[in-house]
């Protein structure tokens, strides 16, 4: 079993996809003594692996003391880090304290793209230096990559790179639009793009000598079976079953990308929360609805519970709409070339009818209006209150007529200008392929008043 602790909200980067909207430490973060008590309770519960995540965990002053404490309790301490702060001294101290492996983020082999995504001009160079420091210290490491549309074609090349530099594994995170990720959700892959990439990843996993694991895309277990590829990872979504997270302030959740709270370690011992929380008990029923409930691959996959909750108004047992098998989009894949299969628009019926991307969160829907159609002041909708489907938004009115034009630029057909202010996309302007303008409710603001109403509600992965 695995637990991930977001040790602090403090971070030295400003990643555009950050699940936690990390920047500064909060006043309520667990103290050293509180953290040690929680670690004792985690070990008592039977967990074996403890991930020290963040924010950036290396910014926590007592991190070496806490790692040593976890190791002394029989836990296997590992890290989720951006890697930019790992020097020779840091790597040696981590290894001496008992750290077993470092998970280090590399989102592109192109330094410029990686740096823009991570919000620091020399992030790529610092990360590679951190990797070399781990190698010199004999501290094992693996690479983590967050997938969006602009780096999708690099993913397997990054796997090759990981193997070449001596990484133990390559973990590939599929974007879930929480935290600052909400502001770039248009860069997440479509359903069929997800499916195609999962096939490529699993085929690549059979070619390399290191572990390769898609994360937040549990359909990889089905894809592996369909391709006849053996993988040691037999379960897709682990949320609440053999995995959970603890926030920097002690709030326990099933998964780094889920907002549903299971308890507070300041008010109840971790082992009691793990055993008795209604949220965990509900997830363990695996009584999924919709396509996930009737799927032949239910036991191995389980669908992404975070996406289910996000797109179904908090229903953690709903179907995962990001599944081509569940949406019956890949029924003819043996007889039809991927390049010849047209993308499916909503056809003017509504966002939810477009099979390529699930309906918007919290009931966003209505009829499709082509991107650029005039809408109410301060809205993203058409004149009748309609909201453009993802194809109209991304490719313009040609979106439903077969293959879209080739993507250009870091964010594809959209031209985005993202600010760096906490919880805001300052001056953000988006344009679709046919020049239609989609404005935010207010200049200098996020969706309807900031990130989840100005509240930080994010989750996993440095």
């Amino acid at each position: 079993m695995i637990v991930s602790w977001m040790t602090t909200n403090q971070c030295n980067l400003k990643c555009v996809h950050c699940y936690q909207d990390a920047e500064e430490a909060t006043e309520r973060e667990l103290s050293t003594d509180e953290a040690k008590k929680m670690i004792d309770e985690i070990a008592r519960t039977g967990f074996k692996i403890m991930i020290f995540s963040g924010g950036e965990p290396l910014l926590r002053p007592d991190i070496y003391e806490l790692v040593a404490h976890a190791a002394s309790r029989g836990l296997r301490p590992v890290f989720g880090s951006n890697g930019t702060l790992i020097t020779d001294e840091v790597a040696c101290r981590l290894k001496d304290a008992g750290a077993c492996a470092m998970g280090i983020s590399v989102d592109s082999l192109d330094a410029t793209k990686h740096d823009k995504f991570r919000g620091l001009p020399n992030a790529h160079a610092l990360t590679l230096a951190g990797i070399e420091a781990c190698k010199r210290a004999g501290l094992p490491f693996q690479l983590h990559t967050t997938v969006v549309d602009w780096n999708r074609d690099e993913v397997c090349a990054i796997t090759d790179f990981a193997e070449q530099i001596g990484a133990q594994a390559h973990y590939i995170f599929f974007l879930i639009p929480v935290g600052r990720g909400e502001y770039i959700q248009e860069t997440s892959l479509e359903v069929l793009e997800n499916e195609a990439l999962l096939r490529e990843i699993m085929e690549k996993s059979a070619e390399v000598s290191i572990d390769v694991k898609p994360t937040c895309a549990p359909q990889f277990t089905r894809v592996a079976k369909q391709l006849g590829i053996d993988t040691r990872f037999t379960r897709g979504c682990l949320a609440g079953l053999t995995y959970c997270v603890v926030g920097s302030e002690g709030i326990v959740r099933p998964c780094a990308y889920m907002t549903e709270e299971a308890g507070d370690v300041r008010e109840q011992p971790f082992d009691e929360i793990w055993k008795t929380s209604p949220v965990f008990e509900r997830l363990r029923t695996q009584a999924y609805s919709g396509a996930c409930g009737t799927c032949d691959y239910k036991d191995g996959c389980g669908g992404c519970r975070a996406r289910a909750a996000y797109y179904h108004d908090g229903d953690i047992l709903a179907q995962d709409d990001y599944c081509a098998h569940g949406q019956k989009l890949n029924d003819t894949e043996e007889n039809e070339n991927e390049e010849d299969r047209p993308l499916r628009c909503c056809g003017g019926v509504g966002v939810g009818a477009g099979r390529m991307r699930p309906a918007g969160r919290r009931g966003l829907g209505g009829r499709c209006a082509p991107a650029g159609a005039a809408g109410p002041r301060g809205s993203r909708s058409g004149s009748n209150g309609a909201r453009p489907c993802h194809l109209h938004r991304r490719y313009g009115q040609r979106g439903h007529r077969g293959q879209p034009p080739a993507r250009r630029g870091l964010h594809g057909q959209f031209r985005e200008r993202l600010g760096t202010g906490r919880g805001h996309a300052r001056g953000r302007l988006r344009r679709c392929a046919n020049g239609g303008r989609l404005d935010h409710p207010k200049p200098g603001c996020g969706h309807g008043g900031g990130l989840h109403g100005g509240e930080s509600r994010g989750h996993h992965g440095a």
Side-chain angles (χ1 to χ4, degrees), residues 251-268:
I251 304 300
V252 182
R253 296 184 176 92
C255 156
Y257 301 95
M258 296 175 70
T259 60
E260 291 71 23
E261 296 180 1
D264 184 336
V265 298
R266 283 192 170 110
E267 299 175 359
Q268 186 180 14

Side-chain angles (χ1 to χ4, degrees), residues 3 61 69 105 108 136 142 183 190 213 217 247 255 269 301 305 328 333 349 385 407 424 460:
V3 62
H69 186 78
S105 298
S108 178
R136 287 190 292 270
Q142 62 186 45
Y183 297 115
E190 308 289 0
K213 182 181 184 294
C255 156
C301 173
R305 296 301 96 210
K328 302 187 185 303
E333 62 187 4
V349 178
R407 289 188 171 124
H424 295 276
H460 190 68

Side-chain angles (χ1 to χ4, degrees), residues 214-276:
T215 300
C216 305
Q219 294 81 13
F220 83 89
T221 57
R222 165 184 55 81
V223 170
K225 288 182 179 180
Q226 291 174 330
L227 295 175
I229 293 173
D230 291 331
T231 173
R232 72 179 184 87
F233 304 106
T234 58
R235 173 71 191 184
C237 185
L238 307 176
L241 304 179
T242 59
Y243 172 79
C244 72
V245 302
V246 183
S248 63
E249 298 181 355
I251 304 300
V252 182
R253 296 184 176 92
C255 156
Y257 301 95
M258 296 175 70
T259 60
E260 291 71 23
E261 296 180 1
D264 184 336
V265 298
R266 283 192 170 110
E267 299 175 359
Q268 186 180 14
F270 175 89
D271 47 332
E272 289 185 11
I273 295 172
W274 178 252
K275 293 174 183 176
T276 65

Side-chain angles (χ1 to χ4, degrees), residues 5 32-43 50 52 62-77 94 96-99:
W5 175 35
T32 302
D33 289 341
E34 288 174 326
K36 286 183 176 180
K37 177 178 177 292
M38 178 190 69
I39 289 170
D40 292 343
E41 294 163 357
I42 289 171
M50 183 168 183
F52 289 80
D62 57 358
I63 193 66
Y64 305 105
E65 181 180 353
L66 295 173
V67 168
H69 186 78
S72 73
R73 295 300 185 267
L75 292 166
R76 176 180 168 84
L94 285 169
D96 291 344

Side-chain angles (χ1 to χ4, degrees), residues 15-19 107 117 145-151 172-190 194 197 214-217 257 304 306-307 310-311 320 322 357 394 411 416 459-461:
C15 305
V16 298
H17 68 297
C18 181
Y19 63 87
D107 299 304
F117 197 55
T145 300
T146 296
V147 179
V148 285
D149 58 5
W150 59 263
N151 70 352
I172 302 156
F173 292 80
F174 284 66
L175 180 69
I176 295 180
V178 294
R180 289 201 288 264
E182 279 206 298
Y183 297 115
I184 62 164
Q185 59 182 307
E186 293 88 358
T187 68
S188 61
L189 301 187
E190 308 289 0
N194 261 21
L197 181 56
T215 300
C216 305
Y257 301 95
C304 177
R307 281 200 180 89
Y310 186 91
Y311 289 108
D320 178 359
Y322 260 80
R357 186 187 296 279
R394 179 167 284 175
H411 293 292
E416 293 195 345
H459 316 288
H460 190 68

Side-chain angles (χ1 to χ4, degrees), residues 14 125 137 171 197 230 262 293 312 316 344 350 354 380 402 404 412:
K14 294 181 180 177
Y171 278 34
L197 181 56
D230 291 331
H312 291 273
I316 60 177
R344 304 190 187 188
R380 298 175 61 201

Side-chain angles (χ1 to χ4, degrees), residues 177-459:
V178 294
R180 289 201 288 264
E182 279 206 298
Y183 297 115
I184 62 164
Q185 59 182 307
E186 293 88 358
T187 68
S188 61
L189 301 187
E190 308 289 0
V191 178
L192 284 177
E193 290 174 325
N194 261 21
E195 184 78 3
L197 181 56
L198 285 176
R199 293 175 69 89
E200 292 176 25
I201 290 171
M202 298 320 296
E203 288 169 349
K204 173 60 68 174
S205 73
E207 300 173 1
V208 296
S209 60
I210 62 175
D211 282 337
V212 180
K213 182 181 184 294
T215 300
C216 305
Q219 294 81 13
F220 83 89
T221 57
R222 165 184 55 81
V223 170
K225 288 182 179 180
Q226 291 174 330
L227 295 175
I229 293 173
D230 291 331
T231 173
R232 72 179 184 87
F233 304 106
T234 58
R235 173 71 191 184
C237 185
L238 307 176
L241 304 179
T242 59
Y243 172 79
C244 72
V245 302
V246 183
S248 63
E249 298 181 355
I251 304 300
V252 182
R253 296 184 176 92
C255 156
Y257 301 95
M258 296 175 70
T259 60
E260 291 71 23
E261 296 180 1
D264 184 336
V265 298
R266 283 192 170 110
E267 299 175 359
Q268 186 180 14
F270 175 89
D271 47 332
E272 289 185 11
I273 295 172
W274 178 252
K275 293 174 183 176
T276 65
S277 168
V279 173
F280 291 148
E281 288 180 344
R282 188 162 183 243
L283 284 169
R284 290 164 191 163
T285 68
Q286 299 183 53
Y288 310 129
S289 61
C292 286
T294 58
C295 183
D296 293 339
Y297 299 94
K298 168 185 172 181
D299 293 338
C301 173
C304 177
R305 296 301 96 210
R307 281 200 180 89
Y310 186 91
Y311 289 108
H312 291 273
D313 202 25
D315 184 355
I316 60 177
L317 293 179
Q319 72 177 22
D320 178 359
D321 291 339
Y322 260 80
C323 177
H325 182 73
Q327 297 273 13
K328 302 187 185 303
L329 296 179
N330 58 359
D331 292 344
T332 60
E333 62 187 4
E334 297 300 326
N335 302 314
E336 185 178 24
N337 291 328
E338 184 74 29
E339 294 181 355
D340 296 332
R341 185 186 295 119
L343 301 179
R344 304 190 187 188
C345 173
C346 68
V349 178
V351 176
R355 289 200 177 192
M356 295 293 292
R357 186 187 296 279
R361 189 183 189 192
R362 304 295 186 248
L364 294 177
R367 298 182 64 81
C368 180
R377 179 177 176 82
S379 77
R380 298 175 61 201
S381 304
S383 58
N384 63 349
R387 178 172 178 257
C389 77
H390 70 282
L391 287 177
H392 276 118
R393 294 201 312 274
R394 179 167 284 175
Y395 304 121
Q397 296 188 40
R398 293 182 298 140
H400 62 290
R401 298 173 184 162
Q403 291 296 87
R407 289 188 171 124
R408 296 188 298 273
L410 188 61
H411 293 292
Q413 290 297 312
F414 279 102
R415 308 295 185 183
E416 293 195 345
R417 180 158 56 86
L418 294 176
T420 58
R422 177 172 178 150
H424 295 276
R426 292 200 173 99
R428 178 179 177 183
L429 174 65
R430 300 183 302 164
R431 293 186 183 274
C432 67
N434 68 347
R437 175 170 174 168
L438 301 171
D439 293 316
H440 277 289
K442 294 187 295 182
C445 184
H447 296 284
L451 181 63
H452 294 287
E455 185 179 359
S456 174
R457 298 174 66 86
H459 316 288

